[in-house]
């Protein structure tokens, strides 16, 4: 059976069962895409796109910031497409490779947005109130999002932070997160529980 036929059969199975893609099938498609198979590459990019989009949405903080989630996700997919010919399986799940690229692109976008927000200014007061967010509002929203991101990083370890993003925002199962992070479902569930417990304690802590 060709890789394309195998991928199509996997799509049918997933649509009926709602289960994640089979790891054997995914590895076969990745191998074919790395070898230059156009159909395999198209299937692979289509498969990871919603995962990348949800990841970027979670890390950026939504459409109210000065960063376009869709644009960043597109940058991730383009970088992934360019990186595929040089990809080598080093024992880590392919999704870990994808999220690694996504993490770098999100960080780049946040740095660029911070520079733009600092440079933006309104030369004069408009005669008519605009219904669109002003540059100052974009900058404020970005600052609030950055502070929230900073708080989470102070409270949680990088691993706990990534697990919560992948589990609660991206919507991956414990099994999928385990594959992406090279861990086990049980360890992911334990880390998630500890991270949420830590956050609850911080939220309930009396303000001085």
């Amino acid at each position: 059976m060709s890789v394309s036929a195998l991928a199509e059969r996997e799509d049918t199975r997933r649509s009926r069962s709602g289960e994640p893609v089979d790891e054997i099938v995914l590895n076969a498609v990745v191998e074919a895409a790395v070898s230059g198979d156009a159909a395999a590459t198209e299937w692979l990019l289509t498969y990871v796109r919603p995962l990348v989009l949800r990841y970027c949405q979670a890390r950026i903080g939504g459409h109210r910031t000065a960063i376009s989630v869709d644009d960043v996700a597109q940058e991730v997919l383009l970088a992934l497409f360019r990186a595929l010919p040089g990809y080598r399986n080093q024992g880590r799940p392919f999704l870990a490779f994808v999220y690694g690229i996504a993490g770098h692109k999100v960080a780049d976008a946040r740095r660029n947005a911070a520079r733009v927000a600092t440079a933006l200014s309104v030369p004069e007061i408009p005669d008519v109130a605009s219904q669109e967010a002003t540059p100052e509002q974009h900058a404020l929203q970005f600052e609030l999002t950055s502070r929230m991101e900073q708080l989470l990083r102070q409270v949680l370890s990088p691993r706990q932070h990534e697990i919560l993003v992948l589990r609660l925002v991206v919507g991956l199962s414990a099994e999928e997160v385990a594959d992406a992070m090279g861990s086990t479902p049980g360890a992911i569930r334990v880390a998630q529980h500890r991270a949420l417990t830590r956050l609850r304690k911080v939220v309930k802590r009396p303000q001085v």
Side-chain angles (χ1 to χ4, degrees):
M1 181 181 295
S2 67
V3 172
S4 297
L6 189 64
E8 289 179 3
R9 190 176 71 175
E10 180 65 11
D11 284 337
T12 302
R13 184 192 69 82
R14 289 172 56 220
S15 65
R16 292 174 179 174
S17 65
E19 297 177 357
V21 65
D22 183 87
E23 185 177 356
I24 296 177
V25 175
L26 179 59
N27 289 339
V29 174
V30 170
E31 185 177 349
V34 170
S35 300
D37 187 314
T41 301
E42 181 180 359
W43 184 93
L44 189 61
L45 294 177
T46 300
Y47 167 67
V48 302
R49 186 181 187 282
L51 302 178
V52 168
L53 194 58
R54 290 200 296 271
Y55 179 89
C56 293
Q57 183 84 31
R59 296 296 303 276
I60 291 171
H63 66 280
R64 295 181 182 178
T65 67
I67 309 173
S68 168
V69 173
D70 288 334
D71 287 349
V72 177
Q74 193 63 32
E75 285 290 327
V76 174
L77 294 176
L78 181 59
L80 176 60
F81 174 76
R82 290 172 174 169
L84 274 177
Y87 173 76
R88 297 294 181 269
N89 188 340
Q90 298 179 342
R92 297 186 67 202
F94 179 73
L95 284 182
F97 176 70
V98 175
Y99 288 130
I101 293 176
H104 285 301
K105 289 299 180 181
V106 167
D108 288 344
R110 292 177 70 86
R111 283 193 292 268
N112 291 336
R115 286 194 291 266
V116 172
T118 301
L120 284 175
S121 63
V122 178
E124 58 184 23
I125 300 176
D127 295 331
V128 180
S130 172
Q131 300 299 317
E132 297 182 358
T134 65
E136 286 83 359
Q137 289 172 325
H138 278 306
L140 178 59
Q141 180 63 38
F142 179 79
E143 181 181 357
L144 291 174
T145 303
S146 298
R147 288 181 179 178
M148 179 60 69
E149 180 83 6
Q150 184 179 15
L151 175 62
L152 290 177
R153 292 189 179 280
Q154 290 174 347
V155 172
L156 305 176
S157 69
R159 184 172 182 273
Q160 289 175 325
H161 181 268
E162 196 74 359
I163 287 172
L164 288 189
V165 169
L166 295 178
R167 286 283 284 130
L168 304 182
V169 183
V170 180
L172 299 184
S173 66
E175 289 74 16
E176 289 173 310
V177 176
D179 285 343
M181 301 188 70
S183 184
T184 64
I188 294 299
R189 293 188 181 96
V190 169
Q192 177 184 341
H193 174 73
R194 290 176 177 172
L196 292 175
T197 299
R198 175 64 178 158
L199 287 178
R200 291 190 189 101
K201 288 181 179 179
V202 172
V203 171
K204 293 178 180 179
R205 183 180 301 166
Q207 300 296 320
V208 179

